Amino acid sequence: SLWEALLQSWPWILFVVAAIGLFWFVHWLRQRWLNRTNSPKALTQTEIPEEDPHVRALRVLHQLKKEKGWTLGRAKEVQAEASLAIRYFLEGQYGIPAAERTTQDIQALLPASAIPKPWQARLVNALEQADSVKFAKVELPELSHVALLDAYIEFVSESQALKDEDA
C-alpha cells in the first residue's frame, strides 16, 4: 500500500527535504555575502556631491523661465517651484531655515540675516506675489511672471557675486 511505501522511504524523503533546505540556506548566505558591499552605507559614500545652492537655484529658475509654464496654465506650479528654489537657496547660502516657513516668518528673519538690505523688501515682495498665485489663485500677467523669475535670478546672482567678493 501507499502508506507502507512512505514508511519505508521516509529516510530518503527526509534526506531530499534536508538537501533542498541546505541548498537554499547556502544560496541565501552567498547572496548576503555578495550584497554586503552594496549596502546603503557603501552607496552613500560614493554619492555625487550636492550642487552649490546658487547653482541649483539658477538651474531651476532658468529652466522655469525657459519653459514658460504660466502660458500653459501651470502658473501655480511655476511659482511654487520658483519660490521653493529661492527658499532652498536662502537655507544653503544664508543659513535661513526658509523651506518650511511662511513668507511672514522669512520676513521676520531677514533683518538679522546677511542678505543685503535693499534685497530684503524686494525678496519679500516677490515671495508674496508668488504666494498670491499659489494660494489665492491670483492670475498675474505674463510679464509679471517673467519679472518675478528675473528678480529671483538677479537676487541669486548678486548674492553669489557678493559672496565671491568676500571670499
Side-chain angles (χ1 to χ4, degrees):
S1 81
L2 179 62
W3 182 249
E4 290 173 354
L6 285 175
L7 284 177
Q8 287 180 349
S9 58
W10 75 266
W12 289 104
I13 294 172
L14 184 63
F15 175 78
V16 168
V17 169
I20 291 172
L22 181 63
F23 176 79
W24 178 82
F25 181 71
V26 168
H27 176 72
W28 178 77
L29 279 178
R30 183 175 177 269
Q31 290 299 326
R32 274 191 63 158
W33 179 260
L34 292 176
N35 290 336
R36 71 181 163 74
T37 57
N38 295 333
S39 69
K41 287 182 182 178
L43 290 176
T44 56
Q45 292 173 354
T46 59
E47 285 180 2
I48 298 171
E50 261 191 51
E51 289 181 292
D52 286 337
H54 74 282
V55 172
R56 179 180 33 193
L58 288 174
R59 180 177 46 79
V60 169
L61 294 169
H62 282 296
Q63 184 66 32
L64 290 172
K65 188 175 175 185
K66 179 182 164 191
E67 290 174 355
K68 296 183 181 181
W70 58 90
T71 62
L72 306 171
R74 293 185 46 240
K76 181 178 177 178
E77 291 85 2
V78 169
Q79 291 304 323
E81 288 180 46
S83 175
L84 195 58
I86 287 299
R87 291 167 189 269
Y88 284 138
F89 173 74
L90 291 173
E91 283 189 1
Q93 190 85 356
Y94 293 103
I96 298 173
E100 301 297 325
R101 303 275 176 131
T102 65
T103 300
Q104 288 73 29
D105 292 342
I106 295 170
Q107 185 177 12
L109 296 171
L110 289 179
S113 72
I115 295 174
K117 296 286 184 221
W119 268 106
Q120 292 180 11
R122 288 178 69 187
L123 188 59
V124 169
N125 184 34
L127 289 172
E128 285 174 344
Q129 280 187 328
D131 288 348
S132 70
V133 173
K134 293 186 308 189
F135 304 119
K137 297 182 171 75
V138 171
E139 302 246 352
L140 294 178
E142 181 175 342
L143 291 177
S144 294
H145 285 286
V146 174
L148 274 173
L149 290 173
D150 285 340
Y152 288 149
I153 291 169
E154 186 180 351
F155 169 65
V156 171
S157 299
E158 284 186 19
S159 295
Q160 187 57 35
L162 288 173
K163 184 179 178 186
D164 289 344
E165 286 176 9
D166 291 343

